[in-house]
Amino acid sequence: MAQHEVRRTSKGYSQVPSGEHRLEPPQNDIQGFIKIFSEHKILSTMLFVATPAGFGSHYMDMEPQYVFACNFVAIIPLAWLIGKATEDVAAKTGETVGGLLNATFGNVVEMLICIAGIRNGEIEVVQCTLLGSILSNLLLVMGCAFLAGGMFYALQEYNQAGAAIQCSLMSMSVFAIGLPTIYTNVLHQEAEWEHMVEVSRWASVLLLSIYFAYLVFQLKTHADLFQDEGESDEEEDPPDLSMGTASVTLLLATVITSFSTDFLIAALETTVQTWNISKEFVGIIMLPIIGNAAEHYTAITVAMKDKMDLSLGVAAGSSCQMALLVTPFTVLVGWFYGVDMTLNFHMFQLCVLIFAVFLVTTILNTGRTERESGVLVGKTNWFQGYILLVTYFVLAIIYFFEGPNHKHALADSY
């Protein structure tokens, strides 16, 4: 049976397929592209079909719901291609620069969606997308990973210290989002709103400092807390593309994705009316899927191979990135455009985030034991994954039946 190796990224780890023996690197970039596309036939087909369809639907002035649907599908393979190109560039730049590249381009799709939303005045959708990406990783991805892994192993272990750090970061992000939200809802005054905008902007700068400190902590000073025992002996597969080709591919994929996200957001208003769904459902449930589909697959497959530290590194690590990198970045982008993008996520959304973080923290701190080496480990099972999935589906049902009527929108209720 084929073995699998893993590659370290700033989000945690990603799975790198290989044969039983180490594969030689492609002799040139053409062979590299052939290898990449042949190993991911579904995503490659989507890339070469859905991407032109997304552009064509926009420039042919098709109905907005078709423009939205085509570009929604197109962004999934584009996100995968960005991730692959980033890995190959990072493999040539060293651990520190590679970690920063993965941190930046690992979330570039979400960043582009948020920029497009701000430029189109869809602040509600932007905030819902940020929250939805956090919830998707905490509940959907982690739940699927626990459930899928539990189908093959009765109990699975992970490094408790690394999980505790990520839980602390999520709790801190709840604190950072919660205070501006509560502040605004307690004091309904125009002057206080202006103060809250300033607080959100400067708090975002501090959140970014926390994230970069977390990168140093995870990649340099305490890397062992986020690894499986014995993993340091594993070697990485060579990149499939050269530095120059991978850089050009990364740039082109990012530019194309920026157009696709603009087309998607521009078609959103009419689409939600036509499909009779709410913007909150699109932002919290639908949009997070397209930016992280490849990572979601990785988290589940490595969990099925009993590599729970790797799986948690993707699921919980991605949530931390969304909360500590993408969210403050989006607030600063709003500042740049002169738009009042704030950390006020409305009371219901704040409550959902609090409950989700509380549930995940409770699960990750249950069943702790100590190995003979003295390492404290946590244990998971399939039932915990099912709990997380049901919680996510209940949330999806709430937003699905909300409807497009703004008078009944949860985000407009104070």
Side-chain angles (χ1 to χ4, degrees), residues 78-95:
L78 286 169
W80 159 71
L81 187 59
I82 289 173
K84 173 56 183 171
T86 302
E87 283 187 1
D88 285 0
V89 173
K92 298 284 189 178
T93 56
E95 186 177 18

Side-chain angles (χ1 to χ4, degrees), residues 94-343:
E95 186 177 18
T96 301
V97 177
L100 292 174
L101 281 172
N102 276 299
T104 303
F105 288 96
N107 294 282
V108 71
V109 174
E110 292 90 342
M111 290 178 175
L112 291 173
I113 289 175
C114 292
I115 293 173
I118 289 174
R119 292 172 55 191
N120 286 272
E122 297 285 358
I123 303 300
E124 177 185 330
V125 175
V126 171
Q127 291 183 321
C128 288
T129 301
L130 294 170
L131 177 67
S133 294
I134 297 173
L135 295 175
S136 174
N137 283 293
L138 286 180
L139 300 177
L140 179 62
V141 180
M142 195 177 297
C144 288
F146 287 179
L147 182 62
M151 296 293 102
F152 296 89
Y153 303 92
L155 289 174
Q156 295 182 285
E157 296 182 349
Y158 57 88
N159 192 316
Q160 180 63 39
I165 292 295
Q166 290 167 333
C167 288
S168 298
L169 289 173
M170 290 308 306
S171 299
M172 192 276 294
S173 66
V174 170
F175 182 85
I177 293 174
L179 286 186
T181 301
I182 296 172
Y183 183 80
T184 304
N185 284 272
V186 170
L187 300 173
H188 293 280
Q189 300 177 20
E190 188 67 27
E192 303 304 334
W193 168 263
E194 295 177 1
H195 294 161
M196 193 272 295
V197 173
E198 293 299 319
V199 168
S200 295
R201 290 170 175 173
W202 291 109
S204 295
V205 174
L206 295 176
L207 286 176
L208 286 174
S209 73
I210 289 288
Y211 178 72
F212 288 114
Y214 169 58
L215 278 184
V216 175
F217 184 86
Q218 184 189 36
L219 296 176
K220 289 291 186 183
T221 63
H222 293 73
D224 58 300
L225 298 182
F226 302 89
Q227 300 181 33
D228 283 326
E229 289 185 349
E231 182 187 318
S232 57
D233 296 333
E234 296 186 7
E235 298 181 358
E236 296 182 0
D237 274 345
D240 295 314
L241 303 176
S242 65
M243 176 73 171
T245 302
S247 300
V248 172
T249 301
L250 178 59
L251 178 61
L252 288 176
T254 302
V255 172
I256 294 173
T257 304
S258 69
F259 281 99
S260 295
T261 54
D262 279 339
F263 300 158
L264 183 143
I265 295 298
L268 177 62
E269 187 71 39
T270 303
T271 300
V272 295
Q273 297 293 332
T274 303
W275 290 355
N276 195 34
I277 57 177
S278 66
K279 289 183 179 180
E280 289 90 342
F281 180 79
V282 173
I284 291 181
I285 305 301
M286 293 181 64
L287 294 185
I289 295 175
I290 61 179
N292 296 306
E295 291 176 349
H296 295 181
Y297 172 78
T298 298
I300 294 170
T301 53
V302 296
M304 294 169 64
K305 299 180 183 299
D306 201 24
K307 294 181 176 291
M308 291 310 297
D309 283 304
L310 315 186
S311 184
L312 284 175
V314 174
S318 294
S319 295
C320 291
Q321 276 196 304
M322 288 301 305
L324 302 177
L325 175 63
V326 182
T327 298
F329 167 82
T330 304
V331 173
L332 297 182
V333 169
W335 192 0
F336 175 80
Y337 281 104
V339 176
D340 289 346
M341 172 66 200
T342 70
L343 295 176

Side-chain angles (χ1 to χ4, degrees), residues 5-9 12-16 87 298 302 310 314:
E5 296 178 351
V6 291
R7 177 175 295 162
R8 184 76 188 272
T9 71
Y13 306 85
S14 61
Q15 188 177 14
V16 182
E87 283 187 1
T298 298
V302 296
L310 315 186
V314 174

